[in-house]
Amino acid sequence: DSQLPTEHAVLTAAPLVPPPIARDYPAKVIVTLETIEKIGRLSDGVDYTFWTFGGQVPGNFIRIREGDQVEFNLNNHPSSKMPHNIDLHSVTGPGGGATSSFTAPGHSSRFSFKALNPGLYVYHCATAPVGMHIANGMYGLILVEPKEGMPPVDKEFYIMQSEFYTKGKYGEEGLQPFDMEKALSENPDYVVFNGSVGSTTGDQSIHANVGETVRLYVGNGGPNLVSSFHVIGEIFDKVYVEGGDMVNHHVQSTLVPAGGSAIVEFLVDVPGTFILVDHSIFRAFNKGALGMLKIKGTEDLAIYSGKQEDTVYHPEGGGIQSIAESGSTSARARNKEERILFGKRTYDQNCMACHQSGGQGIPGAFPPLAGSDYLLAKPDRSIDVLLNGLSGKITVNGQAYDGVMPAVQLSDESIANVLTYVLNTWGNNGGEITPEQVAKQRL
Ligand code: HEM
Ligand code: CU
């Protein structure tokens, strides 16, 4: 094997993927990865001490070819407090390399392996306590392309799901330490793509154009949960099941095991924002497992028309509607305090899934209501937002949002209550909206 040509692996940080392998012969590929422990952003206002491969979570994407001889160098940064190693699931050998790559802070280890099997593989740290090293961010993907290469596509992206277990609950600010109890009970506060809440939303979304084929290399670092990976508004034309070479077609959601992967491909036919989620759906809307693929191009109204009509629907004549109204009038608030109290119930049932329990929203996807300059500048404008919904570009606290908020089906009383609640919670500066104001704007 000393005859093999030598090259250095191109490494990329998520969501980027190294270029396809152009060789049709094996090579000696030198991979050099550094483990480094550093504080970074887990969510807005929430920091975490990540243990990383290459300085970010997930670790660098490595791309090699079946039959390659890999020389692996693991450098553990001198500032590390912990020893680290690496178990690559693409390695045939004890510990997947873990035993040979155990590296103290300020040291460097080398081992070599032959890539016998093609596929998309997870790598992770396997230093005891293993669960803790993984929970702190030590995982990534290595693609071993088959000898004949991967079929060409227009866009490739690297998406890796994982969970974080923090002492404070979701959204609690500050530097959050790891919580072993929560990890043992497999009850994470955060489930995220590419290492943080909002890593792949808003300005950081991934992009493609109508008519292009998109391939996502999807990994799951765990440490505990299995992902039901789904893209809202798309159907996977092809799934390389579990990252192997069995291809399934026309798939809605695919399972990605903890410590496993899947490769999904689809042609994008229409423009819009397509949301990547773990379809264990509270993880997506309440714990962070949400990303965005933005597609530009011309509409194809035969494939998707957009909303064609919105008319009043009277299933049993007009009477039904007044019954709904009387139900809510019986709970009429008598003063502002009651309005706030009733408003909280309405909020929890109708708004919280998107705007979140602390009113902080989800960066890039759902704007905050807590401290929202958009809301507080003109509180009556939000009556309109609730009555008619809102779409198109808006700016809230300096960040652009371009989503769709559906109109909510609530009575004048409930709208008054929920907005009064929002105006008087999370440090917002007060005010009251009355049912009379809502009635006036409903006309
Ligand atoms: C925007 C309130 C329910 C998604 C807004 C805004 C307000 C608001 C005041 C204006 C922007 C801001 O001040 O931050 C509410 C209330 C709700 C509710 C009180 C419950 C009654 C929802 C739900 C969703 C949602 C259930 C998700 C399905 C959005 C989105 C925007 C928005 C995407 C931005 C729209 C754009 O980009 O044009 N909401 N909302 N909202 N809301 Fe809601
Ligand atoms: Cu480690």
Side-chain angles (χ1 to χ4, degrees):
D1 276 353
S2 55
Q3 329 289 36
L4 292 177
T6 298
E7 56 183 61
H8 288 264
V10 175
L11 302 180
T12 58
L16 302 180
V17 177
I21 305 284
R23 286 182 277 114
D24 59 359
Y25 51 88
K28 175 179 165 181
V29 179
I30 300 175
V31 178
T32 304
L33 255 193
E34 181 185 60
T35 54
I36 181 159
E37 302 162 8
K38 60 196 261 193
I39 293 174
R41 175 191 168 282
L42 177 56
S43 185
D44 283 346
V46 184
D47 286 336
Y48 193 83
T49 303
F50 295 100
W51 298 355
T52 74
F53 285 106
Q56 72 285 312
V57 178
N60 294 116
F61 196 105
I62 306 167
R63 186 168 196 159
I64 59 172
R65 179 179 177 274
E66 178 185 359
D68 281 351
Q69 193 70 40
V70 178
E71 177 192 295
F72 205 100
N73 300 283
L74 191 69
N75 302 332
N76 191 357
H77 196 274
S79 66
S80 294
K81 295 201 171 58
M82 299 287 161
H84 299 292
N85 64 10
I86 192 164
D87 168 349
L88 300 114
H89 292 178
S90 58
V91 168
T92 306
T99 41
S100 318
S101 59
F102 183 83
T103 310
H107 285 247
S108 181
S109 297
R110 172 181 299 168
F111 69 102
S112 295
F113 68 93
K114 184 164 183 171
L116 299 178
N117 302 71
L120 179 63
Y121 297 93
V122 166
Y123 66 78
H124 62 88
C125 184
T127 303
V130 178
M132 186 174 172
H133 284 251
I134 296 177
N136 284 342
M138 300 196 79
Y139 37 76
L141 289 179
I142 176 168
L143 173 66
V144 183
E145 284 201 34
K147 288 195 165 116
E148 65 281 10
M150 297 289 292
V153 289
D154 297 303
K155 294 275 160 65
E156 294 186 320
F157 298 103
Y158 172 17
I159 302 288
M160 195 156 192
Q161 181 173 326
S162 60
E163 317 105 52
F164 287 89
Y165 301 84
T166 52
K167 273 277 178 298
K169 54 186 197 313
Y170 181 86
E172 202 165 307
E173 300 203 344
L175 180 64
Q176 289 293 330
F178 168 69
D179 187 313
M180 191 64 167
E181 288 300 310
K182 289 180 180 172
L184 281 168
S185 57
E186 307 189 8
N187 181 25
D189 302 281
Y190 296 86
V191 182
V192 299
F193 294 131
N194 292 350
S196 65
V197 178
S199 70
T200 319
T201 64
D203 290 345
Q204 318 222 66
S205 302
I206 53 177
H207 293 266
N209 300 307
V210 168
E212 289 185 324
T213 43
V214 174
R215 175 183 289 145
L216 305 178
Y217 294 101
V218 184
N220 185 359
N224 289 314
L225 303 182
V226 169
S227 173
S228 302
F229 186 73
H230 177 78
V231 177
I232 300 175
E234 266 299 343
I235 296 147
F236 304 142
D237 300 322
K238 281 166 88 175
V239 173
Y240 294 76
V241 178
E242 293 165 9
D245 55 18
M246 186 175 93
V247 174
N248 196 1
H249 295 275
H250 313 309
V251 176
Q252 58 196 301
S253 302
T254 194
L255 285 169
V256 189
S261 72
I263 305 171
V264 307
E265 293 178 11
F266 46 91
L267 172 70
V268 288
D269 300 284
V270 294
T273 299
F274 295 80
I275 312 277
L276 322 184
V277 294
D278 178 341
H279 215 296
S280 288
I281 209 73
F282 280 95
R283 298 177 190 169
F285 292 108
N286 304 80
K287 296 187 170 188
L290 186 145
M292 291 180 180
L293 167 64
K294 296 201 170 172
I295 306 296
K296 284 213 176 77
T298 41
E299 312 257 8
D300 183 336
L301 299 182
I303 292 178
Y304 186 73
S305 71
K307 183 151 187 159
Q308 292 180 302
E309 211 175 74
D310 183 342
T311 53
V312 177
Y313 171 58
H314 285 301
E316 337 256 332
I320 284 282
Q321 287 193 320
S322 58
I323 292 172
E325 286 295 22
S326 68
S328 54
T329 31
S330 67
R332 251 192 114 90
R334 285 165 302 182
N335 51 43
K336 188 172 163 193
E337 279 58 52
E338 277 193 357
R339 207 175 282 305
I340 293 171
L341 187 74
F342 296 162
K344 178 175 174 19
R345 291 180 206 146
T346 305
Y347 183 84
D348 290 353
Q349 284 168 19
N350 296 279
C351 322
M352 193 171 84
C354 298
H355 292 286
Q356 307 291 299
S357 59
Q360 76 274 26
I362 293 182
F366 304 114
L369 302 180
S372 158
D373 56 4
Y374 184 95
L375 167 73
L376 298 171
K378 285 190 199 168
D380 352 340
R381 174 170 57 184
S382 52
I383 299 176
D384 224 57
V385 171
L386 268 62
L387 288 173
N388 304 313
L390 183 65
S391 62
K393 205 163 195 150
I394 59 167
T395 303
V396 181
N397 297 345
Q399 199 180 345
Y401 290 87
D402 193 3
V404 176
M405 168 161 157
V408 295
Q409 305 299 320
L410 293 172
S411 65
D412 295 350
E413 171 83 9
S414 298
I415 288 179
N417 293 350
V418 75
L419 286 174
T420 304
Y421 167 72
V422 165
L423 289 171
N424 290 277
T425 313
W426 316 303
N428 285 349
N429 59 9
E432 182 172 3
I433 301 285
T434 63
E436 292 68 36
Q437 276 172 282
V438 180
K440 220 189 273 166
Q441 278 183 235
R442 200 188 275 278
L443 299 176

